[in-house]
């Protein structure tokens, strides 16, 4: 959700804070602000809207302070406005706080603080943190201890950056549930909610765990738990370049990231396939364990959940293990029935998705093994899992996921084939054939990307649509769900996906002349059924965009207004390639409507609140 950056050192803080916040824009935000020591006192500048408005306010004065915290807010409590923006000050103005997360018991704490004479000016849950720290500071007289005491009373999730006007050589950072890192420099140190914010300045970081407190001075960093016991941390060295998060000449990050999909698929599968055999180092599952699995649960949110839906088809078809897919935000609240004979596969691009992290912890509490598919090394989900399969997508900046989804599908395909081989559900010759085809998918996606102008022309005919429907069967139904989500996310056009066979059970009532229906039909065995479904909507004068394999294009062209083809491939691998045309279609629809493709309204890249 929100972005946090902090700096202490000998340089001017404002340029570093603004640089970091700009690198975190992809996380989504509706307001921004900074707090820093300048001219001997604590100063706060904040406002609603994009960072350029904050930059304009900061330009009105020269700020020379070299310690500060910055924040981009995505509203949860209270509407986006100047007052609700972070940082928040305590009543005396001595304590400044930035916060990512949600405080679940803020109403009870607010009532207590009001009874102690504290006055509130915002509608946020964050303001209670500043007042609560000040309450304890007045009693204890120790800034760090006051932060620890206050955090011990907070329920919920939080990543905090805290300044105190009485200690201008220190600031404090705390993490529980929401991600936070500490950057280590030479005579300067940093905090941030994600690595890109500080990668320009340092590659050495501490990854804070839950309930850890970092005390930062310009020449020293110390980490403690909430009880004041020092914690020894290993330094994590970042080995990827900040240039990977630049647009490289593309108009939008999303287009750049779609064009990176061939490389991402190659990197994710290439090193894990040797002479037709799969080697998944790090998943820590023995053959005996795999042969004893009774059921697999795939748990994720949003785009990752849609990848999991295809993963269900793949694992059941190839490895013959029953699979249940769950939305992470529902999983733990339905009290799932789990045991040592269940495997839970957790999927998250960031590795910090809070609902998914809590689902992981629920699974481990019930003694199930957890295998995670994540993109970020050292993320919370990766660290807490029994085994990890890293996707090789690199930084994904656009809020709407594209290349990370292809990487997740590639990883799930590797898992399905590996499990199938070890359980002897398919012969090694079949594994070799499928892995050989999988290695060809990147070239296929490159061919699809060359045809993007054809998709752009069709989008130009339909970008004013009010409602668009997606249909498919089997894996194509799961694929259609992701295509529909992508369109909604970035173009704001109402869209729904349906199983092709469900049309006649009510949905067809919504089809009228000119309604666009996107039809996924990459599965050979279901192709004739999909032709019948298309004829049903065509009879109601719908417009049809079909996505199919080249070998079936001639048949599809008889009834579709446009046919987007993917190269011929085994149907179990088709979804990895077939999602790219739908991503491109959503992209061009959004561009033609004038939408902010990389930062769609109301959305955040990393959802770190429930």
């Amino acid at each position: 959700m929100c972005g946090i950056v902090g700096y202490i050192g000998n340089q001017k803080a404002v340029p570093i804070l603004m640089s970091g916040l700009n690198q975190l824009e992809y996380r989504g935000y509706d307001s921004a602000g900074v707090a820093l020591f300048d001219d001997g006192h604590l100063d706060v500048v904040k406002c609603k809207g994009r960072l350029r408005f904050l930059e304009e306010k900061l330009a009105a004065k020269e700020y020379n302070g070299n310690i500060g915290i910055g924040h981009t807010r995505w509203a949860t409590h209270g509407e986006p406005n100047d007052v609700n923006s972070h940082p928040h000050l305590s009543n005396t103005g001595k304590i400044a706080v930035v916060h990512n997360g949600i405080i679940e018991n803020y109403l009870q704490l607010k009532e207590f603080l009001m009874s102690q004479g504290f006055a509130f000016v915002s509608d946020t849950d964050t303001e209670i943190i500043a007042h609560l720290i000040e309450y304890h500071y007045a009693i204890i007289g120790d800034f760090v201890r006051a932060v620890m005491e206050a955090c011990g009373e907070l329920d919920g999730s939080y990543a905090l950056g805290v300044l105190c006007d009485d200690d201008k050589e220190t600031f404090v950072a705390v993490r529980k549930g929401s991600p936070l890192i500490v950057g280590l420099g030479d005579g300067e140190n940093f905090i941030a909610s994600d690595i890109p914010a500080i990668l320009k300045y340092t590659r050495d970081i501490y990854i804070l765990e839950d309930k850890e407190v970092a005390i930062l001075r310009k020449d020293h960093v110390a980490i403690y738990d909430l009880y004041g016991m020092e914690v020894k941390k290993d330094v994590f060295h970042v080995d990827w370049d900040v240039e990977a998060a630049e647009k490289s000449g593309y108009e939008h990050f999303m287009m750049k990231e779609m064009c990176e999909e061939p490389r991402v698929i190659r990197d994710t599968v290439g090193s894990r396939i040797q002479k037709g055999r799969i080697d998944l180092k790090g998943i820590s599952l023995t053959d005996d364990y795999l042969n004893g699995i009774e059921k697999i649960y795939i748990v994720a949110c949003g785009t990752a959940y849609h990848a999991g839906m295809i993963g269900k088809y793949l694992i059941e078809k190839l490895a013959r293990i029953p699979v249940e897919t769950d939305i992470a935000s529902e999983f733990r609240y339905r009290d799932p029935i789990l045991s040592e004979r269940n495997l839970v596969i957790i999927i998250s691009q960031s590795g910090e998705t809070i609902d998914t992290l809590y689902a992981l912890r629920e699974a481990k509490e019930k003694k199930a093994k957890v295998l995670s598919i994540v993109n970020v090394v050292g993320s919370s989900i990766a660290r807490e899992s029994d085994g990890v399969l890293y996707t090789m997508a690199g930084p994904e900046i656009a809020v709407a996921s594209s290349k990370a989804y292809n990487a997740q599908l590639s990883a799930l395909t590797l898992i399905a084939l590996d499990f199938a081989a070890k359980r002897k559900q398919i012969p090694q010759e079949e594994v070799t054939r499928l892995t050989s085809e999988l290695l060809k998918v990147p070239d296929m996606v490159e061919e699809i990307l060359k045809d993007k102008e054809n998709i752009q022309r069709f989008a130009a005919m339909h970008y004013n649509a009010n409602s668009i429907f997606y249909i498919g069967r089997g894996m194509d139904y799961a694929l259609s769900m992701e295509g529909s989500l992508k369109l909604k996310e970035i173009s704001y056009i109402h869209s729904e996906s349906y199983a092709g066979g469900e049309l006649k059970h009510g949905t067809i009532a919504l089809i009228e002349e000119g309604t666009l229906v996107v039809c996924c039909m990459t599965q050979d065995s279901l192709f004739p059924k999909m032709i019948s479904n298309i004829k049903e909507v065509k009879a109601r004068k719908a417009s049809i965009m079909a996505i199919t394999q080249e070998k079936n294009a001639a048949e599809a062209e008889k009834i579709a207004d446009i046919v987007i083809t993917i190269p011929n491939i085994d149907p179990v691998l088709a979804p990895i390639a077939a999602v790219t045309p739908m991503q491109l279609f959503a992209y061009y629809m959004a561009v033609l409507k004038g939408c902010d493709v990389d930062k769609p309204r109301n959305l955040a890249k990393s959802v770190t609140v429930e």
Side-chain angles (χ1 to χ4, degrees), residues 96-140:
V97 173
V98 294
H99 166 224
N100 182 14
I102 288 181
I103 304 305
E104 296 175 355
N105 62 333
Y106 86 100
L107 286 175
Q108 298 95 308
L109 291 171
K110 185 174 182 178
E111 289 177 4
F112 167 75
L113 290 165
M114 289 176 67
S115 74
Q116 300 300 306
F118 286 88
F120 287 78
V121 297
S122 78
D123 301 315
T124 69
D125 56 339
T126 301
E127 191 182 357
I128 67 107
I129 303 173
H131 297 330
L132 190 61
I133 293 171
E134 181 170 280
Y135 169 78
H136 286 291
Y137 182 57
I139 298 171
I140 302 171

Side-chain angles (χ1 to χ4, degrees), residues 40 55 68 134 171 178 236 280 289 354 414 449 492 521 589:
E55 288 169 346
E134 181 170 280
F171 76 83
S178 294
F236 177 79
L280 301 184
Y289 175 79
I354 198 69
L414 289 172
L449 287 164
Y492 317 140
M521 43 199 311
M589 293 286 275

Side-chain angles (χ1 to χ4, degrees), residues 235-443:
V235 175
F236 177 79
H237 183 76
V238 181
D239 58 7
W240 46 269
D241 294 323
V242 71
E243 286 77 14
E246 300 299 331
K247 288 183 183 176
S248 303
Y250 290 93
E251 185 177 357
H252 299 100
F253 279 113
M254 185 175 178
M255 176 55 77
K256 172 181 178 283
E257 288 157 6
M258 288 187 292
C259 290
E260 290 173 345
E261 288 173 357
R263 188 269 305 164
V264 166
I265 299 167
R266 281 191 193 97
D267 290 351
T268 299
V269 304
S271 64
R272 289 154 173 157
I273 298 174
Q274 302 294 331
K275 297 181 180 179
R277 295 183 180 273
I278 297 169
D279 183 8
L280 301 184
K281 296 181 178 68
I283 69 169
S284 306
L285 301 175
T286 66
D287 291 4
D288 286 344
Y289 175 79
L290 288 173
N291 282 303
I293 290 177
E294 294 178 347
K295 182 185 278 190
I296 292 174
Y297 294 80
I298 300 179
V299 182
C301 299
T303 285
Y305 172 74
H306 295 157
M309 292 282 289
I310 291 177
K312 167 186 167 69
Y313 284 99
L314 288 168
I315 294 171
E316 289 188 338
K317 181 176 182 64
L318 298 174
R320 308 307 295 164
I321 305 172
V323 180
E324 190 171 321
T325 52
D326 264 281
I327 296 171
S329 57
E330 294 291 323
F331 182 68
R332 69 189 181 114
Y333 294 112
R334 68 178 182 83
D335 194 16
I337 302 170
L338 299 170
S339 72
E340 296 91 339
R341 299 177 74 85
N342 297 140
L343 174 66
V344 176
I345 298 177
I346 295 286
I347 311 175
S348 169
Q349 187 278 141
S350 68
E352 301 290 352
T353 311
I354 198 69
D355 289 313
T356 311
L357 179 59
Y358 287 162
L360 179 157
R361 291 170 179 169
E362 177 80 8
K364 294 198 73 172
E365 189 175 314
K366 293 179 181 288
K367 309 303 181 185
K369 273 194 176 295
V370 175
L371 168 63
S372 66
I373 299 173
V374 297
N375 190 47
V376 180
V377 176
S379 58
S380 297
I381 288 173
R383 296 197 307 276
E384 295 188 27
S385 299
D386 296 302
V388 185
L389 183 58
Y390 286 109
T391 55
M392 304 297 181
E396 188 177 63
I397 304 303
V399 169
S401 180
S402 54
K403 63 176 180 174
Y405 178 80
N406 297 69
Q408 289 163 355
L409 290 188
S410 302
L412 285 161
T413 304
L414 289 172
I415 287 171
L417 287 168
D418 183 58
F419 287 10
K422 289 176 177 174
R423 287 169 55 88
K424 296 182 170 52
Q425 294 298 317
I426 57 175
Q428 180 56 43
E429 302 80 52
E430 179 68 358
V431 176
T432 301
R433 182 186 72 82
L434 287 171
T435 54
S436 177
E437 287 213 34
L438 180 57
L439 290 170
K440 296 175 184 176
V441 171
D443 295 334

Side-chain angles (χ1 to χ4, degrees), residues 526-577:
L526 295 168
F527 186 85
K529 296 288 187 183
M530 280 300 299
I531 290 289
S532 298
N533 295 143
I534 293 172
K535 287 180 177 178
E536 289 175 340
V537 294
K538 196 68 176 176
R540 276 76 182 177
K541 300 183 179 179
S543 296
I544 304 297
M545 182 172 92
I547 300 169
T548 192
Q549 297 195 45
E550 289 174 352
K551 61 188 175 185
N552 294 319
E555 187 68 22
E557 286 169 354
K558 294 176 182 178
I559 56 172
D561 296 275
I562 182 174
V563 175
I564 307 299
T565 61
I566 65 170
N568 295 331
I569 191 171
D570 191 288
V572 300
L573 305 177
I576 307 174

Side-chain angles (χ1 to χ4, degrees), residues 34-102:
V34 298
L36 67 158
F37 294 120
D38 197 72
D39 295 331
H41 67 277
L42 185 57
D43 202 354
V44 171
V45 182
K46 59 183 183 176
C47 63
K48 175 185 174 182
R50 293 297 184 189
L51 283 170
R52 66 177 181 272
F53 300 125
L54 177 61
E55 288 169 346
E56 289 171 3
K57 293 186 75 170
L58 288 167
K61 174 185 172 183
E62 183 177 358
Y63 290 92
N64 297 307
N66 53 23
I67 172 173
I69 50 178
H71 189 268
T72 48
R73 176 182 186 250
W74 191 85
T76 56
H77 293 69
E79 67 181 71
N81 59 34
D82 290 0
V83 174
N84 288 332
S85 304
H86 297 209
H88 286 282
L89 288 171
S90 62
N91 280 172
T92 65
K94 283 189 175 183
I95 305 294
V97 173
V98 294
H99 166 224
N100 182 14
I102 288 181

